Amino acid sequence: PRRRFGPGRARCDNPRMDAPIADVDGRWTLSGVANLHSHAFQRAMAGLAERMTHPSDSFWTWRETMYRMAARFDPDRLHAVAAQLYAEMLEAGYTAVCEFHYLHHAPDGRPYADPAAMSRALIAAARETGIRLTLLPVLYMTGGFDGRPLNDRQRRFGHDVDAWLRLFETLRAEQDDAGHDGMLRVGCALHSLRAVPPDAMRAVLAALPRETRVHLHIAEQIGEVQDCLALRGDRPVRWLLNQAEVDARWTLVHATHLEMDEIVGIADRGATVAICPTTEANLGDGLFPLRDFLDAGGAWGIGSDSHVSVSPVEELRWLEYGQRLVTRHRNIVATEACPSVGERLLAGVRASAAQATGFAATTLAGDRVVLDPAAPQLAGATADDVADRWVFAGNRPAVATVSVGGRAVVREGRHVDRDAIAARYATAMARLLADG
Ligand code: NGQ
Ligand code: ZN
């Protein structure tokens, strides 16, 4: 029989913690990975922003391409794209997703007849596919730190504080609807410091129920750090830590560019950092200082963000590889107490999942991802190496079955509704691309 634990070895960081992948009835099983950051519509442009649009392409020129794609969405298309994406997430081992949703209104900026129509499209997609959804309606008010108004492309993202609070209340009522079987949580997202003026940030935070999770993009690009320094007199994370009661309810997305006091500050407050390695690489953001953050005791998770990859294995592998490339060392996240890199990575994402998503830890622990017993990359695996072999043996999907909230959503590696979801997605893509 397989050993559940290595001989006399403490489990990563917390001796009471079970291994992230354990032998359950003879099958290697994990409790599912939480995806802490998603913009579902961006899945439709994966692979379509890899052509030169400017002699010095950057995050900011990519954003123009992204805005052109965003402008073509309506609730039906969003529903079709999100369903395909969420089915792919489940097939890859993600069982919960934090949807950072800002595509609220019609392209001209006017609210739909139902102001929550786009949010409901995401809720429907999650419900059909069976993924747990933390819906984060985004407050987006200004086009920069100087308070400039939203441009034409951004208009459909915008709310004033009162309208945003009405949307939040509408969605909270959905969360409490028994029809969702506890599969939906609603939190708050502030798009970024550049998109939310300080007074609005304070007003929204003061109005939220105490337990509400708060997510925001922060310090992803150097340009943003420089603008914040120039217009708010401090670096973004330092400014936020001074101006808001940041604590374990908060998730800071990216937080790429940090000085040591900011690294320690985030860790001390107990906030989670959502690191999105493949998107951050794709957009040329920079590298999160993971080793220092771990040394400070920081909580972190992963997000697939723009969905240039939909694979927790690839995000985790590249999280470690980025660090290896810059430090020219190996096994960066490993410690003496936890020498397995894969195990420490999976333990890290599991430890932050409940506080970032708002789902109870016991609830998330009941969701199950069973790895494929026939996967060659796991042949002869033991409790000591199974996590490393799952994460560091390439991109073959070794997921066999997934169940979320007791419902079997993936069987033999395929989402149970894969074909119907893919057909609807193909139709939606044809329309999205024809509009270009
Ligand atoms: C977003 N995505 O809102 O989709 C952003 C880009 C922005 C990432 N930061 C747009 N990865 O930050 O203004
Ligand atoms: Zn984002």
Side-chain angles (χ1 to χ4, degrees):
R2 289 170 176 139
R3 273 198 319 266
R4 253 190 84 143
F5 296 104
R9 183 158 67 81
R11 279 294 159 195
C12 300
D13 301 328
N14 176 352
R16 289 164 308 171
M17 191 156 67
D18 284 345
I21 303 182
D23 180 344
V24 176
D25 303 329
R27 296 269 189 275
W28 294 116
T29 304
L30 65 153
S31 56
V33 178
N35 188 338
L36 302 191
H37 193 64
S38 164
H39 308 286
F41 77 92
Q42 291 178 17
R43 178 61 176 164
M45 63 178 283
L48 292 174
E50 313 303 323
R51 297 174 69 87
M52 184 185 261
T53 64
H54 187 274
S56 62
D57 270 322
S58 68
F59 176 91
W60 306 103
T61 61
W62 166 84
R63 195 171 77 154
E64 292 305 316
T65 307
M66 185 272 276
Y67 284 170
R68 282 194 290 279
M69 179 56 92
R72 302 177 206 163
F73 273 86
D74 63 14
D76 284 345
R77 293 174 184 184
L78 183 61
H79 182 170
V81 171
Q84 175 65 29
L85 172 69
Y86 295 162
E88 290 175 16
M89 284 187 191
L90 287 161
E91 289 181 356
Y94 289 120
T95 50
V97 58
C98 298
E99 183 62 42
F100 197 104
H101 166 55
Y102 57 84
L103 224 50
H104 298 298
H105 310 307
D108 64 3
R110 272 187 297 199
Y112 288 104
D114 171 7
M118 292 292 250
S119 297
R120 292 191 205 284
L122 294 164
I123 292 171
R127 194 170 178 170
E128 280 168 25
T129 53
I131 199 165
R132 273 184 208 286
L133 175 66
T134 298
L135 182 59
L136 303 164
V138 173
L139 177 64
Y140 199 126
M141 298 176 70
T142 56
F145 281 101
D146 56 4
R148 79 187 81 144
L150 302 180
N151 66 30
D152 287 349
R153 298 258 192 227
Q154 297 167 327
R155 203 144 290 147
R156 68 183 310 189
F157 314 156
H159 283 104
D160 61 28
V161 168
D162 288 341
W164 184 89
L165 286 171
R166 282 196 298 278
L167 174 63
F168 178 78
E169 286 306 324
T170 302
L171 297 174
R172 286 289 281 213
E174 279 293 315
Q175 169 183 306
D176 298 335
D177 186 323
H180 292 297
D181 294 330
M183 295 286 290
L184 174 67
R185 307 295 303 171
V186 174
C188 162
L190 309 172
H191 182 273
S192 51
L193 296 185
R194 71 190 126 85
V196 179
D199 287 352
M201 178 183 89
R202 282 187 201 97
V204 162
L205 294 175
L208 294 174
R210 179 78 197 154
E211 80 289 355
T212 308
R213 302 307 198 263
V214 180
H215 290 222
L216 88 166
H217 293 128
I218 196 158
E220 179 182 11
Q221 284 277 322
I222 295 284
E224 188 181 2
V225 176
Q226 286 167 343
D227 286 356
C228 191
L229 266 168
L231 284 137
R232 294 205 186 161
D234 220 336
R235 302 169 55 78
V237 168
R238 209 179 283 154
W239 184 90
L240 183 74
L241 294 175
N242 285 330
Q243 300 289 327
E245 268 182 68
V246 175
D247 59 21
R249 295 164 304 165
W250 286 66
T251 295
L252 276 46
V253 182
H254 308 302
T256 311
H257 301 287
L258 300 176
E259 293 192 344
M260 195 50 89
D261 62 297
E262 298 175 294
I263 293 172
V264 172
I266 298 170
D268 285 353
R269 300 285 188 96
T272 298
V273 175
I275 313 168
C276 309
T278 62
T279 295
E280 289 159 11
N282 186 277
L283 299 182
D285 288 340
L287 213 51
F288 178 76
L290 183 64
R291 186 64 255 171
D292 288 336
F293 189 64
L294 290 175
D295 289 344
W300 64 277
I302 51 167
S304 62
D305 191 348
S306 69
H307 314 300
V308 288
S309 167
V310 185
S311 162
V313 160
E314 190 173 14
E315 298 301 340
L316 291 171
R317 184 152 35 85
W318 275 98
L319 181 59
E320 166 74 20
Y321 280 174
Q323 310 291 319
R324 293 188 191 185
L325 286 164
V326 288
T327 62
R328 290 181 252 138
H329 281 85
R330 300 189 69 254
N331 303 339
I332 305 301
V333 309
T335 60
E336 266 174 54
C338 180
S340 158
V341 176
E343 197 171 307
R344 186 129 197 262
L345 291 169
L346 288 169
V349 295
R350 187 175 63 175
S352 66
Q355 73 172 36
T357 62
F359 288 104
T362 48
T363 302
L364 296 174
D367 298 336
R368 298 271 142 175
V369 173
V370 180
L371 301 185
D372 179 4
Q377 78 192 61
L378 301 178
T382 69
D384 282 340
D385 61 31
V386 64
D388 292 329
R389 294 177 70 172
W390 191 47
V391 176
F392 289 98
N395 275 339
R396 284 174 187 276
V399 171
T401 62
V402 178
S403 71
V404 185
R407 174 177 159 200
V409 290
V410 174
R411 291 200 188 97
E412 294 180 12
R414 293 172 61 90
H415 189 275
V416 291
D417 291 324
R418 186 200 266 192
D419 294 340
I421 290 168
R424 191 174 49 180
Y425 177 74
T427 305
M429 277 305 286
R431 295 192 177 130
L432 284 164
L433 298 173
D435 278 3

